[in-house]
Amino acid sequence: MKIIMLGAPGAGKGTQAIKIADKYGIPHISTGDIFRQNIKSGTELGKKAKSYMDRGELVPDDVTIGMLLDRISEPDCAAGYVLDGFPRTIPQAESLTRALEERGEKVDYALDIEVPDANIVERMSGRRACPKCGNTYHVVYAAPVMENICDRCGAELMIRADDKPETVQERLDVYHRQTEPLIRYYRGENILREFDGTQELEKVFQDIVEVLG
Ligand code: AP5
């Protein structure tokens, strides 16, 4: 099963993508996590991505598309995957459609998690992220069992550099300008499914599972 997660920054794409990946036994591929790991290890890719991410802008398509298409060609992706944070522009979506068509494949579902902008800034201010396994928490809505320690891998949790309120606002603006048009694109492909992301996160997951089966 090949799944794309759509939604504004902070809508809960990562939270739901990890649960989907666990339930259906497919890899969770987050382009944001790949960039953050590269920044941490000081690679050329990380150096290129960092300045864009710090400003809340998108990393250019010529960097992102090749990286993602390479990742989904790896053997663990043979039975499908859940893409979190890709595609984010129409050229990214078209490249993915083309690359899959060449292999006789297609995306099965584009899951759009809808949350109004007003809720997003509050969510981001309480987010804590695991720098090691990528799991995401919230100090109120999804707290870890031990304060500031990842339930999955035991690493110390951190606040993401791009979760400052002014950067969050820029990320929201970029989302509406560059990424929201994908909703129309995937509606046109007849694979769009929309979810109310303001609900409690287990309820959002139940709604998703009802669709995926
Ligand atoms: P990325 O890491 O993808 O960030 P994002 O899309 O901005 O999304 P987030 O990870 O911030 O939010 P999310 O929707 O996953 O929410 P989460 O589940 O954490 O990208 C970062 C940057 O990398 C981009 O700005 C860009 O520069 C670059 N980049 C990445 N991909 C790219 C691409 N394809 N092209 C170009 N550039 C790219 O939840 C948020 C918080 O809310 C958490 O604390 C969570 O616990 C809580 N929460 C979740 N669900 C609920 C709920 N139902 N109720 C209450 N709280 C909830």
Side-chain angles (χ1 to χ4, degrees), residues 21-196:
D22 282 350
K23 180 169 172 66
Y24 295 95
I26 51 178
H28 162 227
I29 300 175
S30 155
T31 39
D33 285 350
I34 298 175
F35 287 135
R36 280 184 288 276
Q37 279 151 13
N38 276 275
I39 291 172
K40 205 168 149 206
S41 343
T43 66
E44 277 310 308
L45 178 65
K47 283 179 200 152
K48 271 189 205 155
K50 187 173 183 329
S51 59
Y52 296 99
M53 291 176 74
D54 284 351
R55 290 196 299 269
E57 293 170 11
L58 296 186
V59 180
D61 284 347
D62 61 340
V63 176
T64 309
I65 292 171
M67 175 188 88
L68 188 278
L69 295 183
D70 285 349
R71 176 63 187 90
I72 62 172
S73 303
E74 288 177 21
D76 66 328
C77 291
Y81 38 78
V82 49
L83 298 185
D84 163 17
F86 187 99
R88 257 184 153 95
T89 62
I90 293 286
Q92 290 183 13
E94 289 171 345
S95 304
L96 179 64
T97 303
R98 262 198 314 275
L100 292 179
E101 268 170 13
E102 281 168 16
R103 306 177 198 173
E105 298 174 2
K106 61 176 186 50
V107 173
D108 298 296
Y109 294 105
L111 309 180
D112 174 35
I113 304 184
E114 288 285 332
V115 175
D117 287 7
N119 301 31
I120 297 283
V121 177
E122 187 225 345
R123 278 199 188 180
M124 300 303 226
S125 65
R127 171 160 59 182
R128 300 293 179 272
C130 177
K132 202 166 157 207
C133 74
N135 212 22
T136 296
Y137 300 87
H138 190 282
V139 290
V140 177
Y141 307 121
V145 176
M146 278 174 65
E147 197 181 332
N148 230 27
I149 301 294
C150 179
D151 292 347
R152 282 162 68 104
C153 74
E156 191 174 343
L157 302 179
M158 48 161 275
I159 298 176
R160 266 174 47 177
D162 58 352
D163 276 351
K164 294 189 293 253
E166 60 275 21
T167 316
V168 170
Q169 192 51 58
E170 173 61 19
R171 287 163 63 200
L172 279 170
D173 294 346
V174 166
Y175 168 75
H176 290 303
R177 249 188 351 259
Q178 291 182 265
T179 307
E180 213 168 23
L182 293 178
I183 292 176
R184 210 164 146 208
Y185 178 90
Y186 286 112
R187 190 176 284 128
E189 303 266 302
N190 224 7
I191 58 168
L192 183 78
R193 303 290 182 275
E194 289 166 286
F195 300 91
D196 174 3

